[in-house]
mmCIF file of all heavy atoms in Angstrom:
data_model
loop_
_atom_site.group_PDB
_atom_site.id
_atom_site.type_symbol
_atom_site.label_atom_id
_atom_site.label_comp_id
_atom_site.label_asym_id
_atom_site.label_seq_id
_atom_site.Cartn_x
_atom_site.Cartn_y
_atom_site.Cartn_z
ATOM 1 N N LEU A 1057 11.338 -0.556 -4.876
ATOM 2 C CA LEU A 1057 11.277 -1.081 -6.248
ATOM 3 C C LEU A 1057 12.024 -2.408 -6.370
ATOM 4 O O LEU A 1057 11.556 -3.325 -7.061
ATOM 5 C CB LEU A 1057 11.848 -0.068 -7.233
ATOM 6 C CG LEU A 1057 10.967 1.140 -7.500
ATOM 7 C CD1 LEU A 1057 11.730 2.196 -8.299
ATOM 8 C CD2 LEU A 1057 9.709 0.727 -8.240
ATOM 9 N N GLN A 1058 13.143 -2.536 -5.696
ATOM 10 C CA GLN A 1058 13.884 -3.803 -5.730
ATOM 11 C C GLN A 1058 13.085 -4.902 -5.035
ATOM 12 O O GLN A 1058 13.059 -6.051 -5.498
ATOM 13 C CB GLN A 1058 15.255 -3.634 -5.080
ATOM 14 C CG GLN A 1058 16.193 -2.802 -5.922
ATOM 15 C CD GLN A 1058 17.504 -2.517 -5.210
ATOM 16 O OE1 GLN A 1058 17.615 -2.655 -3.992
ATOM 17 N NE2 GLN A 1058 18.505 -2.115 -5.974
ATOM 18 N N ALA A 1059 12.420 -4.553 -3.931
ATOM 19 C CA ALA A 1059 11.573 -5.528 -3.240
ATOM 20 C C ALA A 1059 10.392 -5.934 -4.124
ATOM 21 O O ALA A 1059 9.960 -7.094 -4.101
ATOM 22 C CB ALA A 1059 11.089 -4.957 -1.911
ATOM 23 N N LEU A 1060 9.876 -4.993 -4.910
ATOM 24 C CA LEU A 1060 8.799 -5.299 -5.851
ATOM 25 C C LEU A 1060 9.267 -6.325 -6.881
ATOM 26 O O LEU A 1060 8.563 -7.305 -7.160
ATOM 27 C CB LEU A 1060 8.304 -4.018 -6.528
ATOM 28 C CG LEU A 1060 7.340 -4.174 -7.700
ATOM 29 C CD1 LEU A 1060 6.083 -4.923 -7.295
ATOM 30 C CD2 LEU A 1060 6.985 -2.800 -8.263
ATOM 31 N N GLU A 1061 10.442 -6.135 -7.435
ATOM 32 C CA GLU A 1061 10.987 -7.107 -8.394
ATOM 33 C C GLU A 1061 11.106 -8.484 -7.751
ATOM 34 O O GLU A 1061 10.766 -9.505 -8.360
ATOM 35 C CB GLU A 1061 12.369 -6.648 -8.895
ATOM 36 C CG GLU A 1061 12.329 -5.455 -9.812
ATOM 37 C CD GLU A 1061 13.729 -4.991 -10.197
ATOM 38 O OE1 GLU A 1061 14.644 -5.837 -10.258
ATOM 39 O OE2 GLU A 1061 13.892 -3.785 -10.435
ATOM 40 N N TYR A 1062 11.567 -8.515 -6.510
ATOM 41 C CA TYR A 1062 11.728 -9.767 -5.766
ATOM 42 C C TYR A 1062 10.374 -10.461 -5.581
ATOM 43 O O TYR A 1062 10.252 -11.665 -5.799
ATOM 44 C CB TYR A 1062 12.392 -9.447 -4.428
ATOM 45 C CG TYR A 1062 12.559 -10.607 -3.492
ATOM 46 C CD1 TYR A 1062 13.485 -11.617 -3.761
ATOM 47 C CD2 TYR A 1062 11.813 -10.693 -2.327
ATOM 48 C CE1 TYR A 1062 13.651 -12.680 -2.889
ATOM 49 C CE2 TYR A 1062 11.970 -11.748 -1.448
ATOM 50 C CZ TYR A 1062 12.894 -12.745 -1.731
ATOM 51 O OH TYR A 1062 13.056 -13.793 -0.865
ATOM 52 N N ALA A 1063 9.356 -9.702 -5.196
ATOM 53 C CA ALA A 1063 8.020 -10.279 -4.989
ATOM 54 C C ALA A 1063 7.424 -10.780 -6.302
ATOM 55 O O ALA A 1063 6.775 -11.835 -6.331
ATOM 56 C CB ALA A 1063 7.101 -9.250 -4.340
ATOM 57 N N LEU A 1064 7.618 -10.033 -7.373
ATOM 58 C CA LEU A 1064 7.130 -10.477 -8.678
ATOM 59 C C LEU A 1064 7.800 -11.788 -9.087
ATOM 60 O O LEU A 1064 7.141 -12.700 -9.593
ATOM 61 C CB LEU A 1064 7.369 -9.401 -9.736
ATOM 62 C CG LEU A 1064 6.481 -8.155 -9.654
ATOM 63 C CD1 LEU A 1064 7.019 -7.045 -10.550
ATOM 64 C CD2 LEU A 1064 5.040 -8.491 -9.997
ATOM 65 N N GLU A 1065 9.112 -11.898 -8.859
ATOM 66 C CA GLU A 1065 9.842 -13.125 -9.190
ATOM 67 C C GLU A 1065 9.304 -14.325 -8.403
ATOM 68 O O GLU A 1065 9.348 -15.448 -8.883
ATOM 69 C CB GLU A 1065 11.333 -12.948 -8.899
ATOM 70 C CG GLU A 1065 12.039 -12.028 -9.856
ATOM 71 C CD GLU A 1065 13.440 -11.649 -9.387
ATOM 72 O OE1 GLU A 1065 13.902 -12.156 -8.330
ATOM 73 O OE2 GLU A 1065 14.071 -10.830 -10.076
ATOM 74 N N ASN A 1066 8.806 -14.054 -7.190
ATOM 75 C CA ASN A 1066 8.298 -15.122 -6.337
ATOM 76 C C ASN A 1066 6.811 -15.390 -6.539
ATOM 77 O O ASN A 1066 6.237 -16.234 -5.856
ATOM 78 C CB ASN A 1066 8.602 -14.811 -4.869
ATOM 79 C CG ASN A 1066 10.059 -15.047 -4.546
ATOM 80 O OD1 ASN A 1066 10.499 -16.181 -4.441
ATOM 81 N ND2 ASN A 1066 10.816 -13.976 -4.434
ATOM 82 N N GLY A 1067 6.176 -14.680 -7.445
ATOM 83 C CA GLY A 1067 4.802 -14.974 -7.835
ATOM 84 C C GLY A 1067 3.698 -14.368 -6.991
ATOM 85 O O GLY A 1067 2.538 -14.736 -7.145
ATOM 86 N N ALA A 1068 4.030 -13.438 -6.093
ATOM 87 C CA ALA A 1068 3.004 -12.813 -5.254
ATOM 88 C C ALA A 1068 2.162 -11.828 -6.067
ATOM 89 O O ALA A 1068 2.643 -11.247 -7.046
ATOM 90 C CB ALA A 1068 3.659 -12.070 -4.085
ATOM 91 N N LEU A 1069 0.905 -11.647 -5.660
ATOM 92 C CA LEU A 1069 0.103 -10.556 -6.205
ATOM 93 C C LEU A 1069 0.693 -9.270 -5.638
ATOM 94 O O LEU A 1069 0.843 -9.135 -4.420
ATOM 95 C CB LEU A 1069 -1.363 -10.674 -5.783
ATOM 96 C CG LEU A 1069 -2.251 -9.487 -6.166
ATOM 97 C CD1 LEU A 1069 -2.417 -9.395 -7.678
ATOM 98 C CD2 LEU A 1069 -3.597 -9.572 -5.480
ATOM 99 N N CYS A 1070 1.035 -8.333 -6.489
ATOM 100 C CA CYS A 1070 1.680 -7.092 -6.052
ATOM 101 C C CYS A 1070 0.735 -5.912 -6.231
ATOM 102 O O CYS A 1070 0.233 -5.663 -7.328
ATOM 103 C CB CYS A 1070 2.969 -6.865 -6.831
ATOM 104 S SG CYS A 1070 4.214 -8.138 -6.476
ATOM 105 N N VAL A 1071 0.509 -5.192 -5.133
ATOM 106 C CA VAL A 1071 -0.393 -4.045 -5.088
ATOM 107 C C VAL A 1071 0.439 -2.816 -4.732
ATOM 108 O O VAL A 1071 1.251 -2.866 -3.810
ATOM 109 C CB VAL A 1071 -1.495 -4.257 -4.023
ATOM 110 C CG1 VAL A 1071 -2.411 -3.050 -3.936
ATOM 111 C CG2 VAL A 1071 -2.278 -5.527 -4.303
ATOM 112 N N GLY A 1072 0.221 -1.722 -5.432
ATOM 113 C CA GLY A 1072 0.926 -0.486 -5.119
ATOM 114 C C GLY A 1072 -0.001 0.520 -4.466
ATOM 115 O O GLY A 1072 -1.154 0.666 -4.866
ATOM 116 N N ILE A 1073 0.502 1.183 -3.447
ATOM 117 C CA ILE A 1073 -0.198 2.323 -2.848
ATOM 118 C C ILE A 1073 0.772 3.486 -2.935
ATOM 119 O O ILE A 1073 1.827 3.481 -2.301
ATOM 120 C CB ILE A 1073 -0.608 2.057 -1.388
ATOM 121 C CG1 ILE A 1073 -1.569 0.888 -1.305
ATOM 122 C CG2 ILE A 1073 -1.239 3.319 -0.789
ATOM 123 C CD1 ILE A 1073 -1.995 0.524 0.101
ATOM 124 N N THR A 1074 0.425 4.447 -3.763
ATOM 125 C CA THR A 1074 1.333 5.555 -4.020
ATOM 126 C C THR A 1074 0.546 6.830 -4.271
ATOM 127 O O THR A 1074 -0.664 6.803 -4.464
ATOM 128 C CB THR A 1074 2.254 5.228 -5.222
ATOM 129 O OG1 THR A 1074 3.162 6.304 -5.426
ATOM 130 C CG2 THR A 1074 1.467 4.955 -6.476
ATOM 131 N N ASN A 1075 1.260 7.921 -4.261
ATOM 132 C CA ASN A 1075 0.644 9.209 -4.504
ATOM 133 C C ASN A 1075 0.994 9.737 -5.890
ATOM 134 O O ASN A 1075 0.625 10.842 -6.230
ATOM 135 C CB ASN A 1075 1.097 10.206 -3.427
ATOM 136 C CG ASN A 1075 0.235 11.436 -3.390
ATOM 137 O OD1 ASN A 1075 -0.962 11.354 -3.599
ATOM 138 N ND2 ASN A 1075 0.839 12.569 -3.146
ATOM 139 N N THR A 1076 1.701 8.946 -6.668
ATOM 140 C CA THR A 1076 2.219 9.441 -7.934
ATOM 141 C C THR A 1076 1.755 8.561 -9.091
ATOM 142 O O THR A 1076 2.237 7.441 -9.270
ATOM 143 C CB THR A 1076 3.761 9.494 -7.888
ATOM 144 O OG1 THR A 1076 4.153 10.194 -6.711
ATOM 145 C CG2 THR A 1076 4.314 10.214 -9.098
ATOM 146 N N VAL A 1077 0.819 9.069 -9.864
ATOM 147 C CA VAL A 1077 0.326 8.362 -11.041
ATOM 148 C C VAL A 1077 1.466 8.246 -12.051
ATOM 149 O O VAL A 1077 2.204 9.198 -12.281
ATOM 150 C CB VAL A 1077 -0.867 9.120 -11.667
ATOM 151 C CG1 VAL A 1077 -1.302 8.481 -12.972
ATOM 152 C CG2 VAL A 1077 -2.026 9.181 -10.684
ATOM 153 N N GLY A 1078 1.639 7.060 -12.614
ATOM 154 C CA GLY A 1078 2.666 6.853 -13.618
ATOM 155 C C GLY A 1078 4.035 6.538 -13.056
ATOM 156 O O GLY A 1078 4.997 6.404 -13.815
ATOM 157 N N SER A 1079 4.159 6.385 -11.756
ATOM 158 C CA SER A 1079 5.445 6.061 -11.142
ATOM 159 C C SER A 1079 5.819 4.609 -11.454
ATOM 160 O O SER A 1079 5.001 3.833 -11.951
ATOM 161 C CB SER A 1079 5.375 6.258 -9.628
ATOM 162 O OG SER A 1079 4.497 5.312 -9.060
ATOM 163 N N ALA A 1080 7.052 4.242 -11.148
ATOM 164 C CA ALA A 1080 7.516 2.879 -11.407
ATOM 165 C C ALA A 1080 6.679 1.854 -10.647
ATOM 166 O O ALA A 1080 6.381 0.781 -11.176
ATOM 167 C CB ALA A 1080 8.995 2.752 -11.033
ATOM 168 N N ILE A 1081 6.284 2.175 -9.423
ATOM 169 C CA ILE A 1081 5.470 1.222 -8.663
ATOM 170 C C ILE A 1081 4.100 1.063 -9.316
ATOM 171 O O ILE A 1081 3.611 -0.052 -9.469
ATOM 172 C CB ILE A 1081 5.360 1.631 -7.179
ATOM 173 C CG1 ILE A 1081 6.697 1.324 -6.488
ATOM 174 C CG2 ILE A 1081 4.206 0.911 -6.481
ATOM 175 C CD1 ILE A 1081 6.768 1.666 -5.035
ATOM 176 N N THR A 1082 3.481 2.145 -9.754
ATOM 177 C CA THR A 1082 2.162 2.008 -10.384
ATOM 178 C C THR A 1082 2.252 1.269 -11.715
ATOM 179 O O THR A 1082 1.323 0.559 -12.087
ATOM 180 C CB THR A 1082 1.469 3.372 -10.593
ATOM 181 O OG1 THR A 1082 2.273 4.191 -11.438
ATOM 182 C CG2 THR A 1082 1.233 4.084 -9.279
ATOM 183 N N ARG A 1083 3.361 1.401 -12.407
ATOM 184 C CA ARG A 1083 3.520 0.715 -13.695
ATOM 185 C C ARG A 1083 3.825 -0.772 -13.545
ATOM 186 O O ARG A 1083 3.461 -1.567 -14.402
ATOM 187 C CB ARG A 1083 4.641 1.367 -14.517
ATOM 188 C CG ARG A 1083 4.315 2.732 -15.051
ATOM 189 C CD ARG A 1083 5.360 3.218 -16.070
ATOM 190 N NE ARG A 1083 6.731 3.014 -15.658
ATOM 191 C CZ ARG A 1083 7.471 3.886 -14.969
ATOM 192 N NH1 ARG A 1083 6.949 5.041 -14.596
ATOM 193 N NH2 ARG A 1083 8.725 3.617 -14.652
ATOM 194 N N ASN A 1084 4.488 -1.160 -12.459
ATOM 195 C CA ASN A 1084 4.998 -2.522 -12.345
ATOM 196 C C ASN A 1084 4.210 -3.432 -11.411
ATOM 197 O O ASN A 1084 4.471 -4.633 -11.379
ATOM 198 C CB ASN A 1084 6.469 -2.491 -11.923
ATOM 199 C CG ASN A 1084 7.332 -1.856 -12.996
ATOM 200 O OD1 ASN A 1084 7.224 -2.196 -14.161
ATOM 201 N ND2 ASN A 1084 8.165 -0.911 -12.613
ATOM 202 N N THR A 1085 3.254 -2.912 -10.668
ATOM 203 C CA THR A 1085 2.418 -3.759 -9.820
ATOM 204 C C THR A 1085 1.224 -4.264 -10.633
ATOM 205 O O THR A 1085 0.898 -3.721 -11.689
ATOM 206 C CB THR A 1085 1.923 -2.993 -8.580
ATOM 207 O OG1 THR A 1085 1.330 -1.760 -8.990
ATOM 208 C CG2 THR A 1085 3.062 -2.716 -7.603
ATOM 209 N N HIS A 1086 0.570 -5.304 -10.127
ATOM 210 C CA HIS A 1086 -0.611 -5.847 -10.802
ATOM 211 C C HIS A 1086 -1.796 -4.898 -10.707
ATOM 212 O O HIS A 1086 -2.642 -4.852 -11.607
ATOM 213 C CB HIS A 1086 -0.996 -7.199 -10.181
ATOM 214 C CG HIS A 1086 0.060 -8.235 -10.360
ATOM 215 N ND1 HIS A 1086 0.865 -8.666 -9.320
ATOM 216 C CD2 HIS A 1086 0.454 -8.919 -11.455
ATOM 217 C CE1 HIS A 1086 1.704 -9.582 -9.776
ATOM 218 N NE2 HIS A 1086 1.472 -9.759 -11.074
ATOM 219 N N CYS A 1087 -1.882 -4.173 -9.597
ATOM 220 C CA CYS A 1087 -2.990 -3.257 -9.372
ATOM 221 C C CYS A 1087 -2.578 -2.295 -8.262
ATOM 222 O O CYS A 1087 -1.504 -2.443 -7.678
ATOM 223 C CB CYS A 1087 -4.262 -4.009 -8.965
ATOM 224 S SG CYS A 1087 -4.084 -5.029 -7.486
ATOM 225 N N GLY A 1088 -3.414 -1.313 -7.976
ATOM 226 C CA GLY A 1088 -3.032 -0.384 -6.923
ATOM 227 C C GLY A 1088 -4.063 0.680 -6.647
ATOM 228 O O GLY A 1088 -5.142 0.707 -7.244
ATOM 229 N N VAL A 1089 -3.689 1.545 -5.715
ATOM 230 C CA VAL A 1089 -4.546 2.638 -5.270
ATOM 231 C C VAL A 1089 -3.724 3.917 -5.266
ATOM 232 O O VAL A 1089 -2.623 3.957 -4.705
ATOM 233 C CB VAL A 1089 -5.096 2.354 -3.852
ATOM 234 C CG1 VAL A 1089 -5.947 3.521 -3.372
ATOM 235 C CG2 VAL A 1089 -5.896 1.059 -3.829
#
Side-chain angles (χ1 to χ4, degrees):
L1057 287 170
Q1058 289 174 343
L1060 170 58
E1061 289 176 30
Y1062 176 71
L1064 288 167
E1065 289 168 3
N1066 285 286
L1069 173 67
C1070 295
V1071 178
I1073 298 178
T1074 182
N1075 195 36
T1076 309
V1077 174
S1079 67
I1081 286 180
T1082 60
R1083 289 191 314 270
N1084 295 312
T1085 51
H1086 297 107
C1087 58
V1089 178

